[in-house]
Amino acid sequence: MTRNANINEEALTVGVRPPAVILCEPQLGENIGTAARAMANFGLVDLRIVNPRDGWPSEKARAAASRADHVIDKVQVFDSLEAAIADLTFVYATTARSREVAKPVRGPDEAAVKVTGLGAQGLATGYIFGRERWGLNNEEVALADEILTLPVDPNFASLNIAQAVLVCAYEWRKTATSGALPFTLDTETNPPAKKEDLLRLFDHLEGALDRVTFFRPVERRPHIIRNIRNIFQKAELTDQEVKTLRGIIAALEGRPTRPRKDEAGEGTAGAGDLGAADETPAERDGA
């Protein structure tokens, strides 16, 4: 399992009861495993299986789960769908086609709002997924409170189990965590560049371009400079990125970069420290 070095604590905390995932008569252990993996991606752990064709436990399922063993180890197996949902308060039946059963039809985002609201009250909820070949029958759909379908192309509506589980689990976690991401840009380590430093970058770059007669014809110099500055303004550069660009310009000018602070006493240039050039062209030329 990949671990992020700096995890956003908000993404770790889910303060609502997560839904169960019920697979009705799945045929392949691999599909059970990939569904478990999709659940684990979004923090779901309650996997219930109704009459798996190839029995349980399944080594194929465990292998396909790709180390989502905490989900596989807690799998519950039931003889009937009624038994699998008996302790739940509200369940969705997932289907890709319209049914004779008259029930409200929701998308995965609407369903996530409902499930999250009930979960916040500590109530048990679940999503029912059907067989690989034909999904749920009408009698099974009738056991659900509402129908959940995805906004797919009606001409090619069939998803495999893991895909359907993943979409529903994604929408649930996004709602339950208010869309908290596991990591974002660390602005303390990578503060945005100050305008003063950007202006010094512009001055340095434009001076270097002047020396290689980049601005031709000369009368277009102000227009080209505006374009160059606009490119860097839109980039929202960090402090370190500005230093790196200054170092690159210095290297192209053929100037040695400054020694690293920890190497200054040794008098060796820091080849990887491209944030070296702090002088403006005027300062460099002795003005």
Side-chain angles (χ1 to χ4, degrees), residues 27-58:
Q27 296 168 275
L28 299 174
E30 291 88 344
N31 286 335
I32 298 172
T34 51
R37 180 179 182 178
M39 290 172 61
N41 286 147
F42 298 101
L44 302 183
V45 295
D46 186 357
L47 176 57
R48 307 177 182 196
I49 307 173
V50 178
N51 291 327
R53 186 191 67 180
D54 294 337
W56 194 261
S58 167

Side-chain angles (χ1 to χ4, degrees), residues 40-151:
N41 286 147
F42 298 101
L44 302 183
V45 295
D46 186 357
L47 176 57
R48 307 177 182 196
I49 307 173
V50 178
N51 291 327
R53 186 191 67 180
D54 294 337
W56 194 261
S58 167
E59 288 306 314
K60 291 182 178 179
R62 185 175 294 276
S66 188
R67 299 189 300 280
D69 294 328
H70 60 295
V71 178
I72 295 295
D73 290 340
K74 294 182 179 179
V75 165
Q76 300 179 68
V77 180
F78 296 88
D79 293 330
S80 67
L81 180 57
E82 289 87 346
I85 65 173
D87 64 324
L88 304 181
T89 301
F90 190 98
V91 294
Y92 278 102
T94 63
T95 181
R97 63 185 188 275
S98 59
R99 300 303 187 114
E100 298 172 359
V101 184
K103 291 182 182 293
V105 179
R106 311 294 183 191
D109 51 346
E110 291 180 287
V113 172
K114 178 72 172 183
V115 168
T116 301
L118 293 171
Q121 302 173 48
L123 300 177
T125 59
Y127 295 94
I128 307 171
F129 298 87
R131 304 155 188 82
E132 292 92 330
R133 294 186 62 184
W134 68 87
L136 298 170
N137 59 42
N138 287 337
E139 288 71 24
E140 291 161 344
V141 172
L143 294 174
D145 296 277
E146 294 183 352
I147 290 172
L148 187 158
T149 196
L150 306 182

Side-chain angles (χ1 to χ4, degrees), residues 190-265:
N190 302 280
K194 297 178 181 177
K195 291 299 182 185
E196 175 186 14
D197 294 328
L198 278 175
L199 293 173
R200 291 167 71 87
L201 167 65
F202 297 155
D203 187 44
H204 187 181
L205 175 60
E206 292 154 14
L209 293 175
D210 276 328
R211 281 187 288 281
V212 295
T213 63
F214 174 81
F215 300 108
R216 290 178 297 191
V218 176
E219 56 269 23
R220 286 186 54 79
R221 184 180 189 277
H223 174 74
I224 297 172
I225 284 177
R226 282 197 300 271
N227 285 342
I228 292 173
R229 291 190 173 195
N230 192 46
I231 290 170
F232 287 112
Q233 291 283 11
K234 290 190 294 185
E236 298 182 355
L237 298 171
T238 66
D239 176 67
Q240 182 56 51
E241 288 170 339
V242 168
K243 291 177 180 177
T244 299
L245 288 170
R246 296 288 303 277
I248 291 171
I249 298 167
L252 292 174
E253 291 176 313
R255 294 194 298 115
T257 58
R258 288 183 180 176
R260 292 182 181 274
K261 289 182 179 180
D262 59 354
E263 297 173 343

